[in-house]
Amino acid sequence: MKKKIITLIIALATLSSCEKFLDKRDPTATSFDEFFNTEEDLRRVVYSSYLDAFMGPGERRLLFYMTEGRSDNAYARIETDHHMIIANGNMTSNSALAVYYWNLHNQHIGRINTYLANVDVPYVENESTRQRYKAILEGLRIWHYFRITEFWGNVPFVLTPVKLEEATPAVTPKAEILDKLFEMSEDVANRLPENEGTTNAYMFNKYSFKTLVMRYALYNGRYELAARLAKEIMDSGKYQLHPQYANLFNYQADKTNKEFIIKFDMESHNNSATASFQHLAPQYRTGNGQSYVVPLKALVDSYWTLQGRPIDNCPLHSKQAYELNPKLNRDPRYEASVFGHGDLFNNEKIDIYDSKSAFYYQNLRSSRSGYWFKKFVDQADAFRTGGNMHFSLARYAEVLLTYAEAKIMLNEIDELAKSCINQIRKRAGLDMSIADVNLVAKSQQEWIALIRNERRIEFAGEGLRYSDILRWKTAETVLNQAALGHMRLNGAGQSEVLKIEDRKFLNHQYLWPFHESSFQVEPNLVQNPGY
């Protein structure tokens, strides 16, 4: 039993989860010391630390765009992908997800602790290389702790390899962990290079890491810090909004834009094929689309008008008119992000109600909502076994909207905050003669409603929504509604909507449960209330 505890807590580099990445130079090596002694060994463990948890292109449980299915933006149809049971309220202390994610993050923390404790061992040509990899590993460990505190709250906080007598560390309050993480982050950022390399561009540099810390400062209500970091990233001049929003999410600009900050590029997963078309697209004829996660009506209705107004507060058309025709006078980001009934896909008109069509909404590999994400679905991949798309885990638009939200929450809405929102809206193609946020005075609550919706539609399909509804404490409202799809008029002229499932969200689900098996290994854990 003690050996099992050490294996789980320490998670040394000999674990099977990392063997496929480390490709030991000496196939007869049996100990950590035998394969961790060169610069390439050091690079390899850093690479594997990214791939295993953040950048695997085929692991649907971890892929950023798949996590939309945890939120009111989307429906994920495969229960074992975990996202469905999070969204419909069926997550319990016996759910496989509770142990899967907990073990994943903690095993990697254990591995990174071991690497850092031995970081001076490998021979390197230039000492600056060692220091760069060391800072990157420390940054990845911080990322893991940001994740587990977001979902579990109070957790054990361990920064060194754990010895047998320390194998069940005590729980540390979340606030105390965050204080330490933000303090450590400042030091790590200052030790990272300012510029990315021509290779390994996915690895942290000074500003990509600051972007990550900025995100979690916002998530945790550290608004002064979030605003300061966002301003530093803006002032660096290293990033800019790409002029064509839609092209960020297909092959027209995925590799050439200056907006992506934390990059999920081909090198980050050893050039293995990407599968976003398979995951998100419909099964077109003999194509491989699986519609694993699809948009919901709630997301479609959240796209405001071309003039920047909610669809239920627009003098030009009725709310029902907008619901029946999502493209009517709509924010152009809708058409760049979502497609569905009546649209063309590979030159074929989509009819989700035709039972003979591949797009029929009741087909297994079609969309039960009648909508699909257009982001990351490039028709060049329709009949290929895989793609070579680059993705972003954080882009410059998030920096702008983070600065604006942080200032709004501080009730310090300055000209730069307004400019940040206007830059996003102008790039999107809104009618700025009306959509300019400077034109109408707003209360703080009106600003909050605006910035929250702006985040929702700017980042739809990009995996931020679930964290947003948790931190805003709106999940209890938006996830206590049925998951609905396409709306149309029936023969009697009455509206009817596709219903996918009922959902529920209980207040205790703002935190995740520890799996019951975890207490056998870590008896000092304290189960979160309600489970």
Side-chain angles (χ1 to χ4, degrees):
M1 183 61 174
K2 288 182 179 179
K3 289 183 178 180
K4 290 182 179 179
I5 292 174
I6 293 299
T7 298
L8 180 60
I9 301 296
I10 302 178
L12 293 173
T14 52
L15 283 172
S16 61
S17 66
C18 64
E19 286 177 352
K20 59 186 176 182
F21 306 119
L22 297 185
D23 296 325
K24 294 179 292 188
R25 182 182 62 265
D26 179 0
T28 65
T30 58
S31 70
F32 179 77
D33 292 341
E34 288 183 86
F35 75 86
F36 194 62
N37 49 32
T38 71
E39 182 174 317
E40 177 57 21
D41 294 336
L42 185 54
R43 187 208 66 81
R44 197 157 48 234
V45 299
V46 173
Y47 164 76
S48 69
S49 297
Y50 274 97
L51 177 62
D52 224 9
F54 303 114
M55 293 182 175
E59 177 51 271
R60 298 197 305 269
R61 292 174 292 184
L62 299 177
L63 276 164
F64 69 101
Y65 54 73
M66 287 297 302
T67 65
E68 288 288 289
R70 302 175 181 179
S71 76
D72 56 331
N73 274 0
Y75 167 75
R77 69 176 179 86
I78 304 297
E79 184 173 345
T80 51
D81 287 351
H82 302 322
H83 314 299
M84 175 201 292
I85 64 172
I86 294 172
N88 64 23
N90 289 325
M91 175 173 55
T92 71
S93 59
N94 285 316
S95 299
L97 71 91
V99 70
Y100 172 76
Y101 296 105
W102 178 252
N103 284 355
L104 173 80
H105 290 296
N106 280 284
Q107 284 173 359
H108 275 271
I109 289 169
R111 286 175 56 189
I112 291 170
N113 284 343
T114 299
Y115 299 147
L116 288 170
N118 294 274
V119 74
D120 292 330
V121 172
Y123 170 80
V124 295
E125 292 285 343
N126 189 320
E127 184 61 25
S128 65
T129 300
R130 185 195 318 277
Q131 296 307 315
R132 174 176 177 249
Y133 285 141
K134 179 181 179 182
I136 291 171
L137 285 169
E138 290 173 330
L140 285 167
R141 181 173 60 184
I142 288 169
W143 196 354
H144 282 290
Y145 272 119
F146 278 143
R147 287 280 186 96
I148 64 175
T149 55
E150 178 183 8
F151 295 136
W152 283 281
N154 304 331
V155 297
F157 185 51
V158 180
L159 299 178
T160 58
V162 180
K163 299 178 182 178
L164 177 60
E165 61 270 19
E166 303 165 340
T168 57
V171 167
T172 302
K174 176 180 178 179
E176 185 177 329
I177 297 173
L178 290 174
D179 286 343
K180 185 63 176 176
L181 293 179
F182 288 123
E183 177 187 337
M184 293 164 58
S185 296
E186 195 84 17
D187 174 58
V188 170
N190 289 334
R191 289 187 285 114
L192 286 166
E194 290 204 2
N195 299 307
E196 64 189 31
T198 54
T199 61
N200 298 333
Y202 60 92
M203 292 188 182
F204 290 139
N205 60 48
K206 181 176 184 177
Y207 292 102
S208 65
F209 183 66
K210 282 189 174 187
T211 301
L212 179 74
V213 179
M214 173 204 74
R215 174 184 291 178
Y216 286 95
L218 184 73
Y219 283 5
N220 289 286
R222 311 287 178 106
Y223 299 123
E224 294 89 351
L225 176 60
R228 175 172 66 81
L229 290 171
K231 183 68 163 53
E232 290 175 7
I233 297 161
M234 286 187 271
D235 289 345
S236 75
K238 295 183 179 297
Y239 310 101
Q240 62 188 45
L241 293 178
H242 188 71
Q244 299 296 323
Y245 177 79
N247 292 352
L248 291 168
F249 315 109
N250 56 47
Y251 291 125
Q252 295 185 66
D254 69 311
K255 300 173 181 65
T256 58
N257 71 83
K258 295 182 179 180
E259 185 165 342
F260 289 1
I261 300 179
I262 301 179
K263 298 181 180 181
F264 184 166
D265 61 12
M266 292 297 292
E267 188 182 354
S268 71
H269 48 87
N270 200 30
N271 292 300
S272 56
T274 58
S276 57
F277 186 94
Q278 179 194 63
H279 295 156
L280 302 174
Q283 180 205 4
Y284 173 73
R285 297 183 183 175
T286 59
N288 63 358
Q290 294 283 344
S291 307
Y292 284 130
V293 63
V294 296
L296 293 174
K297 182 178 184 292
L299 171 61
V300 173
D301 291 348
S302 73
Y303 283 90
W304 287 5
T305 69
L306 187 64
Q307 297 77 27
R309 304 182 182 113
I311 65 171
D312 59 355
N313 187 27
C314 176
L316 301 179
H317 305 280
S318 68
K319 180 184 178 183
Q320 185 185 64
Y322 284 120
E323 290 179 294
L324 291 170
N325 182 3
K327 291 185 179 180
L328 178 65
N329 187 44
R330 212 56 158 255
D331 185 318
R333 284 173 290 188
Y334 168 76
E335 193 164 0
S337 306
V338 179
F339 66 98
H341 183 69
D343 292 333
L344 292 178
F345 184 74
N346 211 17
N347 297 317
E348 184 170 333
K349 190 172 183 179
I350 296 173
D351 187 345
I352 64 171
Y353 298 106
D354 181 359
S355 61
K356 298 179 182 179
S357 170
F359 304 112
Y360 182 50
Y361 77 95
Q362 292 190 12
N363 287 346
L364 176 64
R365 293 197 287 169
S366 189
S367 168
R368 291 185 62 188
S369 73
Y371 295 105
W372 291 265
F373 285 110
K374 186 179 289 187
K375 288 180 176 179
F376 319 121
V377 175
D378 195 306
Q379 293 182 25
D381 289 338
F383 301 106
R384 300 196 297 189
T385 55
N388 62 356
M389 190 172 292
H390 288 190
F391 309 108
S392 170
L393 297 184
R395 53 187 178 87
Y396 188 57
E398 185 179 350
V399 175
L400 299 181
L401 291 183
T402 295
Y403 181 85
E405 182 178 353
K407 285 296 190 177
I408 288 169
M409 297 309 296
L410 292 167
N411 205 16
E412 299 173 359
I413 306 162
D414 56 18
E415 292 305 310
L416 180 56
K418 297 175 185 178
S419 172
C420 287
I421 300 171
N422 276 340
Q423 289 178 59
I424 297 292
R425 288 185 154 196
K426 184 177 180 180
R427 191 270 295 272
L430 270 66
D431 178 358
M432 296 304 290
S433 68
I434 300 174
D436 185 331
V437 298
N438 290 294
L439 296 177
V440 179
K442 300 173 181 63
S443 67
Q444 187 186 27
Q445 287 305 309
E446 288 172 327
W447 279 113
I448 290 172
L450 184 150
I451 194 66
R452 289 182 177 182
N453 201 74
E454 201 67 37
R455 277 185 65 92
R456 183 177 192 180
I457 59 180
E458 175 69 22
F459 303 120
E462 298 180 56
L464 299 185
R465 178 66 177 174
Y466 179 65
S467 291
D468 280 348
I469 62 176
L470 291 185
R471 68 187 178 90
W472 293 332
K473 294 295 186 286
T474 57
E476 61 203 74
T477 300
V478 300
L479 286 181
N480 270 316
Q481 302 176 27
L484 303 177
H486 186 264
M487 174 176 162
R488 66 172 177 173
L489 296 180
N490 61 23
Q494 299 173 323
S495 62
E496 57 182 22
V497 181
L498 297 179
K499 181 178 178 181
I500 302 172
E501 66 175 358
D502 288 314
R503 288 178 166 181
K504 66 178 184 296
F505 184 92
L506 303 176
N507 282 350
H508 68 264
Q509 291 173 326
Y510 281 111
L511 289 176
W512 287 8
F514 296 102
H515 195 273
E516 291 182 359
S517 63
S518 297
F519 294 98
Q520 300 174 19
V521 179
E522 300 177 81
N524 288 338
L525 291 177
V526 178
Q527 184 62 280
N528 283 317
Y531 294 103

